[in-house]
Amino acid sequence: MEDQFKKILSHAKEYGFVYPSSEIYEGLSAVYDYGPMGVELKNNIKNYWWKSMVQMHDNIVGIDAAIFMHPKTWKASGHVDAFNDPMIDNKDSNKRYRADVLVEEELAKTEGKIDKEVRKAQKRFGDDFDENQFRATNPRVLRYQEKIDAHQNQLNEAMKSNNMEGLKQLIIDLDITCPVSGSRNWTDVRQFNLMFSTQLGNIAGEESSLYLRPETAQGIFVNFLNVQKTTRQKIPFGIAQIGKAFRNEIVARQFIFRMREFEQMEMQYFIKPGTEMDWYEYWKETRLKWHKSLGTSSEHLRFHKHENLAHYANAAADIEYKFPFGFKELEGIHSRTDFDLGSHQKLSGKKLQYFDPEINESYVPYVLETSIGCDRMFLAMMSESLQEEKVPDSKGNETERTVMKLHPSLAPVKAAILPLVKNKEPLTNRARKIFDDLKLEFQCQYDEKDAIGRRYRRQDAIGTPYCITVDFETLEEDDKVTLRDRDSLGQRRITVEEAKAIVLKETNVSRIL
Ligand code: ATP
């Protein structure tokens, strides 16, 4: 798994997907830039999300709110008082950790021991093995599980009651050592606010203090009435937004999984109070289907129900993806009640209510949120698609290729136009003309450098679903080209028009909407 992660990191850099930010100055911790291939993939992810949310639902509309918001927004939302993570430092390594994550990682190690027992037993019993029964009855597994449950409860309690001493005690009880120094020389656990702050230029005093938004959702809440009135939407309806968010994360490792500047794709669905559990289930299923529609394996996706609920939620679940470093949150589905609209109404003194003509009553709507990190989705797509496989070369000998089997609608380049040889007129001229024609329809790349086999490999490595090869027969014959399929490696001799139609059809996002 670790190897796979290293491969993703070096692939991302080598092929222009992701670079460390300001790399010539040794980079900036947990900040990354997207390169030429990365920006295409990211735009395609955003495009698919936007279309499935906004275009496909006549009761969901989009907005693009500013990153800066009135500072009171963050008071009302609870972020000033409660958007904290518990932090602990190791005095020997001077490394900083999230105390809850240290505990969770320790518990995951015990879970790993259970999995090992299961695998051992599976080997021993073969086809007769009943995993559920084994997990429910094996004394060693039960002992491990009991330990995990007890410590998980302690963790949940400590987090819920803001008990920082309790959290430190748990770290001591579990005998957790610093992964860098190996020592148990810990500071106390302290709360750390994750919002970045800055100053407004022309105002002095407290009012001048601004925050970079830590989530895009609040831009939707404060615009709730504007949008509802201007679009005359009736409840239930949703507002969708894609935009940057900023969090001063304590531990920011794992590449683009946890960044200090990242992008969210959020949708707030305004509903009648009391209907939230139905909508919660509806959006959980809808969002899971969305992930599967891109070809992500069911085995790499799962729900994780929150026990320790955020201050605004009455139910919450994550869609977790099996990243190379284990199952982690990719998207959150949160039932946010009327917490946000209610608090903004109180602090601003402005009514944020909906008049429901069906019951002739006004109320503050409840909200169901789906929130997915664009960068995490990007990493999930890289993890899911990057493969090394053995394929026959042009002489039929076995060779290895690196290929990104991205869903065609997400691929940065949809088709590569390749003249068989370079600098050979009129062949290259004809290939250029085909490129100029096709680039009006979809993202193309023209490449004439190196042998054709190497050019195919380069396109495989960036996930291009189709290569269109132009050879001398194209000129002499009937304008036919060779269309090569990335996954099957099948080659078809067809006209340019037919090739265009296939690429358009297969890479069009509407096929999976
Ligand atoms: P985590 O528990 O991993 O810190 P979270 O529960 O704080 O995440 P939410 O507040 O629910 O995350 O944010 C919604 C989504 O935004 C997450 O599911 C994730 O995909 C994305 N996200 C949150 N924080 C980051 C980050 N630091 N870097 C990249 N994406 C992030």
Side-chain angles (χ1 to χ4, degrees):
M1 289 290 253
E2 217 162 79
D3 269 3
Q4 165 75 351
F5 192 39
K6 278 191 194 139
K7 268 181 204 145
I8 292 170
L9 256 72
S10 62
H11 194 85
K13 171 114 193 278
E14 185 179 348
Y15 288 94
F17 284 91
V18 183
Y19 310 125
S21 157
S22 7
E23 199 184 6
I24 57 167
Y25 297 106
E26 311 298 322
L28 181 64
S29 161
V31 185
Y32 290 90
D33 298 338
Y34 286 86
M37 288 305 118
V39 68
E40 295 294 339
L41 172 55
K42 199 171 174 214
N43 282 342
N44 291 340
I45 290 172
K46 289 194 270 189
N47 181 40
Y48 178 44
W49 184 86
W50 191 264
K51 282 186 186 244
S52 6
M53 283 298 183
V54 179
Q55 187 175 317
M56 295 307 287
H57 294 93
D58 58 0
N59 68 340
I60 299 182
V61 292
I63 63 163
D64 182 14
I67 287 171
F68 289 133
M69 299 183 70
H70 194 286
K72 280 189 183 164
T73 309
W74 307 109
K75 186 74 192 157
S77 69
H79 284 82
V80 172
D81 298 320
F83 195 51
N84 302 316
D85 274 341
M87 140 188 123
I88 189 166
D89 298 343
N90 182 271
K91 292 184 200 163
D92 296 320
S93 65
N94 280 333
K95 288 275 172 204
R96 182 161 283 180
Y97 299 93
R98 252 175 76 173
D100 56 330
V101 172
L102 278 182
V103 173
E104 269 165 11
E105 282 174 353
E106 192 63 28
L107 299 187
K109 277 188 204 159
T110 315
E111 257 170 36
K113 285 183 189 164
I114 295 182
D115 288 345
K116 207 167 155 194
E117 292 293 329
V118 170
R119 279 198 304 275
K120 260 183 5 203
Q122 213 156 20
K123 244 191 202 158
R124 207 173 334 125
F125 296 113
D127 287 345
D128 295 335
F129 183 62
D130 180 339
E131 185 176 331
N132 288 339
Q133 194 190 350
F134 181 78
R135 281 181 186 269
T137 53
N138 180 275
R140 194 171 294 166
V141 168
L142 288 177
R143 258 198 318 277
Y144 284 141
Q145 195 57 52
E146 218 171 277
K147 234 169 132 183
I148 294 174
D149 292 345
H151 288 131
Q152 186 70 53
N153 276 341
Q154 272 172 278
L155 174 65
N156 292 348
E157 279 306 312
M159 292 294 285
K160 225 184 263 168
S161 56
N162 239 334
N163 177 1
M164 296 299 109
E165 286 90 36
L167 210 46
K168 166 113 188 237
Q169 194 55 48
L170 199 49
I171 287 173
I172 295 168
D173 292 347
L174 283 167
D175 205 23
I176 296 176
T177 55
C178 167
V180 177
S181 68
S183 90
R184 298 173 182 76
N185 195 5
W186 297 109
T187 61
D188 285 342
V189 180
R190 284 156 295 157
Q191 288 285 26
F192 177 80
N193 193 289
L194 299 183
M195 282 197 293
F196 282 102
S197 59
T198 183
Q199 298 284 313
L200 204 62
N202 57 353
I203 303 175
E206 212 171 80
E207 282 289 293
S208 73
S209 174
L210 287 187
Y211 294 106
L212 294 185
R213 66 180 179 198
E215 62 176 23
T216 59
Q218 297 304 325
I220 294 180
F221 293 129
V222 298
N223 276 302
F224 158 70
L225 268 193
N226 281 339
V227 174
Q228 195 268 323
K229 285 196 171 135
T230 49
T231 59
R232 298 188 310 282
Q233 288 286 348
K234 289 203 171 66
I235 271 175
F237 78 95
I239 305 179
Q241 176 169 221
I242 298 178
K244 289 265 175 140
F246 304 83
R247 295 184 188 178
N248 201 357
E249 299 280 2
I250 297 172
V251 183
R253 288 187 215 113
Q254 296 171 325
F255 194 39
I256 55 173
F257 178 81
R258 191 175 296 288
M259 299 154 96
R260 296 206 162 96
E261 172 181 343
F262 57 101
E263 208 159 3
Q264 287 185 315
M265 307 190 282
E266 295 199 303
M267 194 278 298
Q268 312 292 325
Y269 205 63
F270 298 91
I271 54 177
K272 194 169 162 185
T275 62
E276 69 268 25
M277 283 308 148
D278 291 341
W279 286 116
Y280 174 61
E281 291 306 327
Y282 171 84
W283 281 108
K284 269 172 63 187
E285 287 315 311
T286 305
R287 293 302 304 149
L288 187 66
K289 261 194 219 150
W290 183 88
H291 288 282
K292 290 185 186 167
S293 69
L294 286 168
T296 305
S297 151
S298 300
E299 278 158 31
H300 294 168
L301 292 164
R302 73 177 188 194
F303 284 119
H304 168 76
K305 190 168 171 264
H306 282 207
E307 301 300 338
N308 179 23
L309 290 170
H311 58 275
Y312 51 73
N314 71 351
D318 297 334
I319 295 178
E320 293 188 334
Y321 174 74
K322 193 172 185 190
F323 289 98
F325 37 84
F327 270 106
K328 296 272 181 221
E329 171 174 349
L330 171 59
E331 170 160 8
I333 321 284
H334 309 127
S335 170
R336 291 182 81 127
T337 66
D338 58 356
F339 175 84
D340 301 270
L341 288 182
S343 324
H344 286 306
Q345 179 170 269
K346 220 169 162 185
L347 200 64
S348 68
K350 307 267 169 23
K351 275 209 161 134
L352 291 175
Q353 299 192 351
Y354 170 78
F355 177 75
D356 192 332
E358 276 176 24
I359 52 170
N360 235 354
E361 242 177 57
S362 291
Y363 53 79
V364 177
Y366 268 34
V367 169
L368 209 290
E369 163 183 83
T370 71
S371 173
I372 172 170
C374 185
D375 313 271
R376 283 193 192 173
M377 185 62 193
F378 186 107
L379 183 58
M381 290 301 93
M382 281 205 82
S383 315
E384 189 73 10
S385 67
L386 187 62
Q387 297 173 20
E388 257 151 34
E389 60 177 23
K390 300 227 181 319
V391 288
D393 66 10
S394 55
K395 295 186 187 97
N397 299 323
E398 200 176 71
T399 166
E400 194 158 280
R401 72 162 176 169
T402 300
V403 55
M404 278 182 76
K405 291 195 171 171
L406 283 168
H407 192 285
S409 64
L410 295 188
V413 175
K414 306 300 185 206
I417 320 302
L418 314 172
L420 195 61
V421 286
K422 72 169 172 180
N423 285 339
K424 194 94 180 169
E425 295 303 353
L427 180 77
T428 32
N429 196 25
R430 179 74 195 103
R432 270 265 166 214
K433 282 218 170 82
I434 293 174
F435 170 73
D436 285 338
D437 171 30
L438 295 185
K439 76 182 181 193
L440 298 170
E441 309 286 344
F442 37 75
Q443 190 70 35
C444 294
Q445 213 173 62
Y446 178 85
D447 188 5
E448 57 175 37
K449 200 168 162 273
D450 298 323
I452 192 76
R454 285 187 71 177
R455 281 182 273 163
Y456 284 153
R457 294 289 169 270
R458 276 207 291 270
Q459 295 301 328
D460 287 344
I462 59 169
T464 307
Y466 295 103
C467 287
I468 294 173
T469 310
V470 183
D471 57 26
F472 294 104
E473 282 169 36
T474 310
L475 300 170
E476 287 161 16
E477 250 183 18
D478 37 11
D479 213 25
K480 283 189 175 167
V481 288
T482 305
L483 183 76
R484 170 190 182 264
D485 182 295
R486 177 196 69 198
D487 298 343
S488 70
L489 295 175
Q491 303 203 0
R492 279 181 273 185
R493 192 115 189 118
I494 51 180
T495 64
V496 176
E497 277 310 304
E498 283 167 331
K500 187 202 290 191
I502 291 173
V503 179
L504 266 178
K505 182 169 162 234
E506 297 299 325
T507 62
N508 194 332
V509 70
S510 63
R511 274 171 68 82
I512 46 171
L513 281 173

